[in-house]
Amino acid sequence: MAEAAVHQAEAPNLNEAIHSEGLEPVGTVAHEGVTPHTDPKVVGMDATAWVSLAMGVFIIILLVKGVPGLIGKALDGRIAQIKAQLEEATKLRAEAEALKAEYEAKLAAAAGEAEAMRQSAEHEAETLIADAKVNAEALVVRRRKMAEDKIGAAERAAIAEIRAKAVSAATSAAATLIAQGHDANADKALVDQAIKGLGPVA
């Protein structure tokens, strides 16, 4: 339509130029005895009609051969393939989320076990420290008792030694008095004096 408007706009200008040169327009004005130029026709149809007919026949052939159906099937197959890929991607995503949740649960369980182990170790350490304190106190008590027993034994040994010395001194004094011929009263007085000189016996 745009080309026709252009041709219509150019036609008057072209005719004016031809007339100004004294020439006759070609194919536009019929001369006397000359028929105007026309497109060839076959079976009463020009080229445009034949092209239209050929296009119609071509479209009919496509419809008869089922080309649109084949194209539709191809598109349906492609759509089904895309749907399958989407379903596979959805399935993979669900599996990934399940694995993520499983590993998060395992991490939480491991953290709980670690916390429980730490608390158990702290409790065990506190128990060991308490037992060590009790054992240390018991050891101090036993050592103190042993020291007291040793001191008591040393005191008893000292007392026994003092008594033995007293007996030995008394025996020596008695022997001396007898040797000197003292009488019994004198001997008794000497023994008593010797015993008093040793001090009180606990």
Side-chain angles (χ1 to χ4, degrees):
M1 185 178 292
E3 292 179 357
V6 171
H7 287 302
Q8 289 177 359
E10 290 178 352
N13 296 331
L14 182 61
N15 291 331
E16 291 177 1
I18 292 172
H19 284 299
S20 64
E21 296 292 331
L23 299 174
E24 291 295 332
V26 178
T28 56
V29 178
H31 294 280
E32 294 179 1
V34 179
T35 60
H37 175 73
T38 59
D39 294 331
K41 293 183 179 181
V42 177
V43 195
M45 295 189 300
D46 58 3
T48 303
W50 280 108
V51 170
S52 299
L53 179 63
M55 288 297 297
V57 172
F58 178 72
I59 292 172
I60 292 171
I61 292 172
L62 291 179
L63 293 174
V64 171
K65 294 293 185 179
V67 173
L70 295 176
I71 295 173
K73 288 181 180 179
L75 292 175
D76 291 339
R78 181 58 180 166
I79 290 171
Q81 184 179 2
I82 293 172
K83 286 182 178 179
Q85 291 176 354
L86 290 175
E87 291 177 356
E88 183 69 17
T90 303
K91 181 179 179 181
L92 291 175
R93 181 178 179 182
E95 292 177 356
E97 290 178 352
L99 288 174
K100 180 181 178 182
E102 181 180 356
Y103 281 115
E104 287 178 351
K106 288 182 178 180
L107 288 175
E113 291 178 359
E115 181 65 19
M117 291 175 64
R118 184 186 65 80
Q119 292 179 357
S120 177
E122 289 180 354
H123 179 68
E124 185 176 357
E126 291 175 355
T127 303
L128 291 175
I129 291 172
D131 292 341
K133 287 182 179 179
V134 171
N135 293 333
E137 292 175 356
L139 180 61
V140 169
V141 171
R142 288 196 301 270
R143 292 290 177 86
R144 183 180 297 170
K145 182 68 170 58
M146 290 174 63
E148 290 176 353
D149 291 342
K150 286 182 179 180
I151 292 171
E155 289 177 352
R156 289 190 296 272
I159 292 171
E161 185 178 357
I162 291 171
R163 287 179 178 175
K165 287 181 179 180
V167 171
S168 177
T171 302
S172 297
T176 301
L177 291 174
I178 292 171
Q180 291 178 356
H182 288 213
D183 56 7
N185 292 328
D187 291 340
K188 185 176 182 303
L190 288 174
V191 171
D192 291 339
Q193 184 179 0
I195 292 172
K196 289 179 180 180
L198 292 175
V201 178

